[in-house]
C-alpha cells in the first residue's frame, strides 16, 4: 500500500474512533433521558448518570490534551525557527517531523528533542533530519519501543556533544539495544574489533565516524534501510499509526484555539 493510501486509511480509522466515542455519548445521554421520561428505576438512571459523568470527564480530558498538543506543536515551530534562523524553515522542519510521525507511528516529541540536540551541537539541519530518518529505520528493524527510540537518540546526541566515541554510549546505550555498532565501526575504519576497542579507549575514534555510520546506514546497518516502513505495516506499528493519526486530528481541532487565532 502506498504511503498516501495508508495515511488515508489511518485517517479513516482515527475518525471512526472519534465517531464511536460520540455515538456512545449520545446513546448514554438518550438512555438517561428515556429513563426519567418513562419512569425507569432510579438505580438504572443513576447508573446512566454515572456513565455520563465518566464520559464528560473523558471529554474534558480530551479537550485538555488536544489544546496541550496544539500548544506544544506551536512551540516546536518556534523552537526550530530560532535554531534555523527562519520561521518558514522552522515550520518546514516540524512539518517533516510530523509526516515522519504519521508514516511510522513514532512520537514527534522524541524526534524533535533529538534533532534539537543535534543542531545545538553544530550539526546542519539537513544532516540532523537524515540521521533522524536513519534512526527510525534502525528502530523499526530491531523493533524498539518509543522509550528505547528516545534513549537511542539521546545516546547519539551525547556522542555528538563529546566529539569522541566512548564505551559508555557505544556499549551500554547502543550495542545493548541490539545494534551492531562495533562491527559497523570496525568495518568503516578497516580494523579488527579488538583494535577498535583499543582505539576507543584511547579516544581515537571521533563522533563523526559514529554519526556517519548511523546517518548513512553503513556496513551491517545497511540491512535496516527501509525498516521503518516495514515496522509501520506490522500490527504494533498499525496501532501506533492510528493512535498517532487520531492525536494529530485532535491537535488540528484545537490548534486555532491553542494559539489564540479566531
Amino acid at each position: 500500500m502506498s504511503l498516501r493510501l495508508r495515511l488515508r486509511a489511518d485517517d479513516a480509522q482515527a475518525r471512526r474512533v472519534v465517531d464511536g466515542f460520540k455515538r456512545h455519548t449520545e446513546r448514554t445521554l438518550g438512555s438517561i433521558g428515556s429513563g426519567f421520561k418513562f419512569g425507569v428505576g432510579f438505580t438504572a438512571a443513576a447508573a446512566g448518570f454515572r456513565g455520563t459523568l465518566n464520559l464528560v470527564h473523558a471529554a474534558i480530558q480530551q479537550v485538555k490534551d488536544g489544546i496541550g498538543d496544539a500548544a506544544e506543536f506551536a512551540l516546536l515551530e518556534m523552537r526550530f525557527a530560532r535554531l534555523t534562523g527562519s520561521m518558514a524553515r522552522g515550520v518546514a522542519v516540524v512539518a517533516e517531523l510530523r509526516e515522519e510521525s504519521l508514516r511510522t507511528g513514532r512520537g514527534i516529541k522524541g524526534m524533535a528533542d533529538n534533532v534539537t540536540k543535534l543542531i545545538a551541537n553544530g550539526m546542519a539541519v539537513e544532516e540532523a533530519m537524515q540521521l533522524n530518518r536513519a534512526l527510525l529505520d534502525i528502530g523499526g528493524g530491531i523493533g524498539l519501543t518509543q522509550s528505547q527510540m528516545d534513549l537511542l537518540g539521546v545516546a547519539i546526541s551525547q556522542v555528538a556533544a563529546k566529539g569522541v566515541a566512548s564505551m559508555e554510549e557505544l556499549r551500554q546505550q547502543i550495542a545493548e539495544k541490539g545494534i551492531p555498532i562495533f562491527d559497523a565501526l570496525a568495518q568503516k575504519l578497516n580494523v579488527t574489533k579488538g583494535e577498535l576497542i583499543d582505539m576507543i579507549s584511547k579516544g581515537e575514534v571521533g563522533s563523526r565516524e559514529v554519526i556517519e555510520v548511523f546517518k548513512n546506514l553503513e556496513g551491517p546497518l545497511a540491512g535496516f534501510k527501509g525498516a521503518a516502513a516495514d515496522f509501520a505495516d506490522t500490527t504494533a506499528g498499525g496501532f501506533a499509526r492510528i493512535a498517532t493519526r487520531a492525536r494529530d486530528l485532535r491537535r488540528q481541532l484545537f490548534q486555532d484555539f491553542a494559539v489564540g487565532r479566531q
Side-chain angles (χ1 to χ4, degrees), residues 4 9 15 21 48 51 60 76 81-82 98 137 144 147 155 187 205 207 231 244 248 253 262:
R4 179 173 295 181
R15 290 186 183 281
F21 179 82
I60 292 173
L76 288 179
R82 299 295 187 277
R98 171 180 174 269
D137 278 339
L144 298 181
S147 61
Q187 183 173 325
V205 180
S207 60
F231 172 80
T244 300
D248 187 69
L253 178 64
Q262 299 298 323

mmCIF file of all heavy atoms in Angstrom, residues 4 9 15 21 48 51 60 76 81-82 98 137 144 147 155 187 205 207 231 244 248 253 262:
data_model
loop_
_atom_site.group_PDB
_atom_site.id
_atom_site.type_symbol
_atom_site.label_atom_id
_atom_site.label_comp_id
_atom_site.label_asym_id
_atom_site.label_seq_id
_atom_site.Cartn_x
_atom_site.Cartn_y
_atom_site.Cartn_z
ATOM 1 N N ARG A 4 0.426 7.380 0.700
ATOM 2 C CA ARG A 4 -0.770 8.224 0.662
ATOM 3 C C ARG A 4 -2.022 7.421 1.010
ATOM 4 O O ARG A 4 -2.852 7.872 1.806
ATOM 5 C CB ARG A 4 -0.912 8.850 -0.719
ATOM 6 C CG ARG A 4 -2.152 9.737 -0.862
ATOM 7 C CD ARG A 4 -2.163 10.467 -2.182
ATOM 8 N NE ARG A 4 -1.042 11.411 -2.254
ATOM 9 C CZ ARG A 4 -0.821 12.195 -3.308
ATOM 10 N NH1 ARG A 4 -1.618 12.137 -4.365
ATOM 11 N NH2 ARG A 4 0.211 13.024 -3.312
ATOM 12 N N ALA A 9 -6.103 5.600 5.062
ATOM 13 C CA ALA A 9 -6.712 4.523 5.845
ATOM 14 C C ALA A 9 -6.589 4.802 7.335
ATOM 15 O O ALA A 9 -7.538 4.609 8.103
ATOM 16 C CB ALA A 9 -6.043 3.188 5.503
ATOM 17 N N ARG A 15 -10.836 8.592 12.579
ATOM 18 C CA ARG A 15 -12.136 9.259 12.606
ATOM 19 C C ARG A 15 -13.231 8.315 13.113
ATOM 20 O O ARG A 15 -14.165 8.742 13.792
ATOM 21 C CB ARG A 15 -12.494 9.774 11.210
ATOM 22 C CG ARG A 15 -11.625 10.951 10.777
ATOM 23 C CD ARG A 15 -12.090 11.536 9.454
ATOM 24 N NE ARG A 15 -11.224 12.606 9.010
ATOM 25 C CZ ARG A 15 -11.257 13.846 9.478
ATOM 26 N NH1 ARG A 15 -12.126 14.164 10.411
ATOM 27 N NH2 ARG A 15 -10.426 14.764 9.017
ATOM 28 N N PHE A 21 -16.827 7.237 19.870
ATOM 29 C CA PHE A 21 -16.934 7.899 21.170
ATOM 30 C C PHE A 21 -18.152 8.817 21.203
ATOM 31 O O PHE A 21 -18.899 8.854 22.173
ATOM 32 C CB PHE A 21 -15.652 8.699 21.432
ATOM 33 C CG PHE A 21 -15.667 9.456 22.736
ATOM 34 C CD1 PHE A 21 -15.351 8.829 23.923
ATOM 35 C CD2 PHE A 21 -15.990 10.815 22.767
ATOM 36 C CE1 PHE A 21 -15.369 9.528 25.125
ATOM 37 C CE2 PHE A 21 -16.003 11.514 23.953
ATOM 38 C CZ PHE A 21 -15.687 10.861 25.134
ATOM 39 N N GLY A 48 -26.762 5.294 34.654
ATOM 40 C CA GLY A 48 -26.561 6.040 33.409
ATOM 41 C C GLY A 48 -25.920 7.383 33.659
ATOM 42 O O GLY A 48 -25.068 7.841 32.894
ATOM 43 N N GLY A 51 -22.319 6.962 34.263
ATOM 44 C CA GLY A 51 -21.648 6.726 32.988
ATOM 45 C C GLY A 51 -21.435 8.019 32.223
ATOM 46 O O GLY A 51 -20.385 8.234 31.618
ATOM 47 N N ILE A 60 -13.576 16.125 28.704
ATOM 48 C CA ILE A 60 -12.800 17.262 29.202
ATOM 49 C C ILE A 60 -11.303 16.969 29.083
ATOM 50 O O ILE A 60 -10.508 17.832 28.695
ATOM 51 C CB ILE A 60 -13.177 17.579 30.660
ATOM 52 C CG1 ILE A 60 -14.612 18.120 30.726
ATOM 53 C CG2 ILE A 60 -12.198 18.583 31.269
ATOM 54 C CD1 ILE A 60 -15.124 18.312 32.131
ATOM 55 N N LEU A 76 7.109 23.947 19.163
ATOM 56 C CA LEU A 76 8.133 23.279 18.357
ATOM 57 C C LEU A 76 8.478 24.119 17.132
ATOM 58 O O LEU A 76 9.652 24.240 16.756
ATOM 59 C CB LEU A 76 7.661 21.887 17.922
ATOM 60 C CG LEU A 76 7.593 20.809 18.998
ATOM 61 C CD1 LEU A 76 7.085 19.498 18.401
ATOM 62 C CD2 LEU A 76 8.957 20.596 19.645
ATOM 63 N N ALA A 81 12.356 27.550 14.530
ATOM 64 C CA ALA A 81 12.546 28.845 13.875
ATOM 65 C C ALA A 81 13.771 29.548 14.454
ATOM 66 O O ALA A 81 14.568 30.145 13.722
ATOM 67 C CB ALA A 81 11.300 29.708 14.058
ATOM 68 N N ARG A 82 13.937 29.460 15.777
ATOM 69 C CA ARG A 82 15.108 30.068 16.418
ATOM 70 C C ARG A 82 16.385 29.314 16.021
ATOM 71 O O ARG A 82 17.424 29.943 15.765
ATOM 72 C CB ARG A 82 14.963 30.041 17.945
ATOM 73 C CG ARG A 82 13.775 30.804 18.486
ATOM 74 C CD ARG A 82 13.863 32.305 18.233
ATOM 75 N NE ARG A 82 12.813 33.046 18.895
ATOM 76 C CZ ARG A 82 11.591 33.219 18.425
ATOM 77 N NH1 ARG A 82 11.241 32.656 17.279
ATOM 78 N NH2 ARG A 82 10.704 33.939 19.084
ATOM 79 N N ARG A 98 6.388 15.804 11.524
ATOM 80 C CA ARG A 98 5.001 15.341 11.618
ATOM 81 C C ARG A 98 4.733 14.240 10.599
ATOM 82 O O ARG A 98 4.108 13.214 10.922
ATOM 83 C CB ARG A 98 4.036 16.508 11.385
ATOM 84 C CG ARG A 98 2.570 16.095 11.253
ATOM 85 C CD ARG A 98 1.665 17.286 11.015
ATOM 86 N NE ARG A 98 0.298 16.880 10.753
ATOM 87 C CZ ARG A 98 -0.187 16.646 9.533
ATOM 88 N NH1 ARG A 98 0.593 16.799 8.466
ATOM 89 N NH2 ARG A 98 -1.443 16.265 9.377
ATOM 90 N N ASP A 137 14.645 3.944 10.843
ATOM 91 C CA ASP A 137 14.828 2.656 10.176
ATOM 92 C C ASP A 137 15.439 1.628 11.118
ATOM 93 O O ASP A 137 15.000 0.474 11.172
ATOM 94 C CB ASP A 137 15.725 2.821 8.944
ATOM 95 C CG ASP A 137 14.968 3.311 7.723
ATOM 96 O OD1 ASP A 137 13.733 3.152 7.690
ATOM 97 O OD2 ASP A 137 15.605 3.834 6.798
ATOM 98 N N LEU A 144 12.338 -1.501 18.340
ATOM 99 C CA LEU A 144 12.480 -0.743 19.578
ATOM 100 C C LEU A 144 11.165 -0.070 19.957
ATOM 101 O O LEU A 144 10.405 0.359 19.095
ATOM 102 C CB LEU A 144 13.560 0.324 19.425
ATOM 103 C CG LEU A 144 14.990 -0.159 19.133
ATOM 104 C CD1 LEU A 144 15.938 1.026 19.031
ATOM 105 C CD2 LEU A 144 15.470 -1.129 20.201
ATOM 106 N N SER A 147 10.169 4.500 23.986
ATOM 107 C CA SER A 147 11.133 4.939 25.005
ATOM 108 C C SER A 147 12.549 4.523 24.630
ATOM 109 O O SER A 147 13.511 5.282 24.857
ATOM 110 C CB SER A 147 10.759 4.369 26.378
ATOM 111 O OG SER A 147 10.780 2.952 26.366
ATOM 112 N N ALA A 155 21.594 8.893 23.206
ATOM 113 C CA ALA A 155 22.958 8.353 23.123
ATOM 114 C C ALA A 155 23.711 8.962 21.947
ATOM 115 O O ALA A 155 24.882 9.349 22.074
ATOM 116 C CB ALA A 155 22.912 6.836 22.992
ATOM 117 N N GLN A 187 34.351 -2.145 10.485
ATOM 118 C CA GLN A 187 34.353 -2.233 9.029
ATOM 119 C C GLN A 187 34.666 -0.878 8.400
ATOM 120 O O GLN A 187 35.419 -0.793 7.427
ATOM 121 C CB GLN A 187 32.994 -2.751 8.538
ATOM 122 C CG GLN A 187 32.913 -2.951 7.038
ATOM 123 C CD GLN A 187 31.613 -3.621 6.631
ATOM 124 O OE1 GLN A 187 31.074 -4.466 7.341
ATOM 125 N NE2 GLN A 187 31.106 -3.246 5.471
ATOM 126 N N VAL A 205 38.657 7.468 18.225
ATOM 127 C CA VAL A 205 37.501 7.342 17.325
ATOM 128 C C VAL A 205 36.600 8.551 17.550
ATOM 129 O O VAL A 205 36.044 8.725 18.635
ATOM 130 C CB VAL A 205 36.712 6.035 17.576
ATOM 131 C CG1 VAL A 205 35.517 5.952 16.628
ATOM 132 C CG2 VAL A 205 37.624 4.830 17.393
ATOM 133 N N SER A 207 33.455 11.345 16.980
ATOM 134 C CA SER A 207 31.998 11.247 16.866
ATOM 135 C C SER A 207 31.555 11.251 15.408
ATOM 136 O O SER A 207 30.515 10.677 15.072
ATOM 137 C CB SER A 207 31.335 12.409 17.610
ATOM 138 O OG SER A 207 31.752 13.656 17.066
ATOM 139 N N PHE A 231 8.128 -1.760 9.781
ATOM 140 C CA PHE A 231 7.567 -1.771 11.128
ATOM 141 C C PHE A 231 6.168 -1.173 11.136
ATOM 142 O O PHE A 231 5.264 -1.665 11.829
ATOM 143 C CB PHE A 231 8.462 -0.995 12.092
ATOM 144 C CG PHE A 231 7.867 -0.797 13.462
ATOM 145 C CD1 PHE A 231 7.898 -1.817 14.395
ATOM 146 C CD2 PHE A 231 7.254 0.396 13.812
ATOM 147 C CE1 PHE A 231 7.333 -1.651 15.658
ATOM 148 C CE2 PHE A 231 6.686 0.581 15.069
ATOM 149 C CZ PHE A 231 6.728 -0.457 15.994
ATOM 150 N N THR A 244 -1.363 7.737 16.520
ATOM 151 C CA THR A 244 -0.688 8.975 16.144
ATOM 152 C C THR A 244 -1.584 9.843 15.278
ATOM 153 O O THR A 244 -1.663 11.068 15.440
ATOM 154 C CB THR A 244 0.616 8.664 15.389
ATOM 155 O OG1 THR A 244 1.481 7.902 16.237
ATOM 156 C CG2 THR A 244 1.333 9.940 14.973
ATOM 157 N N ASP A 248 -3.125 13.508 16.059
ATOM 158 C CA ASP A 248 -2.886 14.614 15.138
ATOM 159 C C ASP A 248 -4.191 15.304 14.759
ATOM 160 O O ASP A 248 -4.255 16.533 14.669
ATOM 161 C CB ASP A 248 -2.183 14.098 13.882
ATOM 162 C CG ASP A 248 -1.743 15.218 12.955
ATOM 163 O OD1 ASP A 248 -0.829 15.964 13.324
ATOM 164 O OD2 ASP A 248 -2.329 15.348 11.858
ATOM 165 N N LEU A 253 -7.887 20.005 15.580
ATOM 166 C CA LEU A 253 -9.180 20.508 16.013
ATOM 167 C C LEU A 253 -9.034 21.689 16.959
ATOM 168 O O LEU A 253 -9.798 22.652 16.900
ATOM 169 C CB LEU A 253 -9.975 19.384 16.701
ATOM 170 C CG LEU A 253 -11.350 19.744 17.256
ATOM 171 C CD1 LEU A 253 -12.289 20.147 16.119
ATOM 172 C CD2 LEU A 253 -11.931 18.577 18.039
ATOM 173 N N GLN A 262 -8.591 33.327 15.726
ATOM 174 C CA GLN A 262 -10.054 33.321 15.648
ATOM 175 C C GLN A 262 -10.497 32.580 14.383
ATOM 176 O O GLN A 262 -9.809 32.624 13.382
ATOM 177 C CB GLN A 262 -10.576 34.757 15.607
ATOM 178 C CG GLN A 262 -10.188 35.536 16.864
ATOM 179 C CD GLN A 262 -10.762 34.945 18.138
ATOM 180 O OE1 GLN A 262 -11.889 34.467 18.133
ATOM 181 N NE2 GLN A 262 -10.001 34.984 19.219
#
